[in-house]
Amino acid sequence: MESGEDSDHFMIEKFGLIDRHTYTILSCKELSDGTKLVLLRHNWGLHQWLGPWGINHEIWRSNVIPKEEKKLLKKLVEDKHQFFVPYEDFLALFD
């Protein structure tokens, strides 16, 4: 990824992430359907992941995953600093 102000703006607008910023890996989860997720923490809590599994993503309102499994996942992202990113997106966006 490019560095600099333009790159930062692009990352926030498109993904809700800040370029060249530290995110802590808290956990990795594999769901019953095989979906792999990475639980990240952003200490500033100013921006949230805007992609799949982001806190406002439609997947939370769908029936894609079992209700009990979704309930357990939601508990992990109650803290506004924590969010899930699909494993494939994590590999593509973080180095």
Side-chain angles (χ1 to χ4, degrees), residues 4-84:
E5 218 170 288
D6 290 338
S7 178
D8 286 347
H9 183 71
F10 172 78
M11 289 297 290
I12 292 169
E13 288 292 315
K14 184 165 184 176
F15 303 110
L17 301 174
I18 300 174
D19 196 13
R20 297 175 289 126
H21 187 78
T22 302
Y23 291 84
T24 305
I25 299 172
L26 297 176
S27 182
C28 296
K29 301 287 181 195
E30 185 167 356
L31 307 182
S32 58
D33 69 354
T35 300
K36 294 179 182 178
L37 301 172
V38 180
L39 180 62
L40 298 176
R41 179 175 175 80
H42 178 231
N43 290 331
W44 291 357
L46 298 175
H47 303 282
Q48 283 286 332
W49 169 248
L50 300 175
W53 292 97
I55 195 66
N56 294 317
H57 194 268
E58 64 191 30
I59 202 155
W60 293 107
R61 295 180 299 280
S62 74
N63 293 323
V64 173
I65 58 170
K67 197 174 191 175
E68 286 303 311
E69 196 168 26
K70 190 181 339 183
K71 187 177 176 181
L72 292 173
L73 293 173
K74 280 192 137 192
K75 283 188 177 193
L76 294 172
V77 293
E78 284 177 348
D79 179 333
K80 71 177 184 175
H81 296 94
Q82 297 177 187
F83 56 95
F84 284 108

